[in-house]
Amino acid sequence: MIFLIWLYKKYLFFSQRLVLYLSIAALADTVPYMMGTVGNTFGCKAQGYLMTYFDWTCVAWVSVITANGYRLIKEEMSYESSESLFHLICWLLPALVAGIHLIWDAY
């Protein structure tokens, strides 16, 4: 999906870029699941952190896509001016959530 978006330049519109960001987060989300069983403590914590982080980034980007779609339909406006704010929220907030689990040694 990421390659097709890049190939056909489908990242020019805001809604298409949102799908691109979700695709990047989903691609990164597959990495810890493909790591398999990690036996040592550091590897287990790293895998748990990555799983939690990228799962939450996917949820965050889906929430942004949903909110943008709702606003487009209901108010005929877009959140395009808030794109940089969405990047901060969707990439940093999951890091805080996953970091809390890491601090509490919940992995």
Side-chain angles (χ1 to χ4, degrees):
M1 181 68 154
I2 297 170
F3 177 72
L4 292 176
I5 291 172
W6 173 78
L7 180 66
Y8 294 112
K9 298 186 187 329
K10 295 292 185 186
Y11 52 83
L12 301 177
F13 299 106
F14 179 61
S15 58
Q16 294 168 337
R17 288 194 303 271
L18 291 178
V19 172
L20 174 65
Y21 304 144
L22 173 62
S23 299
I24 292 169
L27 176 67
D29 191 27
T30 62
V31 172
Y33 287 100
M34 292 189 301
M35 288 171 61
T37 305
V38 182
N40 61 8
T41 306
F42 175 76
C44 182
K45 287 182 180 182
Q47 185 180 21
Y49 178 84
L50 291 174
M51 284 179 169
T52 305
Y53 174 73
F54 287 118
D55 285 344
W56 277 100
T57 57
C58 289
V59 168
W61 282 115
V62 167
S63 300
V64 168
I65 291 170
T66 304
N68 187 58
Y70 176 79
R71 190 166 185 197
L72 280 172
I73 292 169
K74 203 69 167 161
E75 302 171 11
E76 296 180 4
M77 296 177 66
S78 177
Y79 284 120
E80 189 165 1
S81 61
S82 304
E83 187 172 359
S84 58
L85 176 65
F86 290 144
H87 276 286
L88 287 174
I89 292 170
C90 292
W91 295 112
L92 291 181
L93 185 64
L96 294 174
V97 172
I100 290 171
H101 290 98
L102 192 62
I103 292 170
W104 288 346
D105 200 26
Y107 295 120

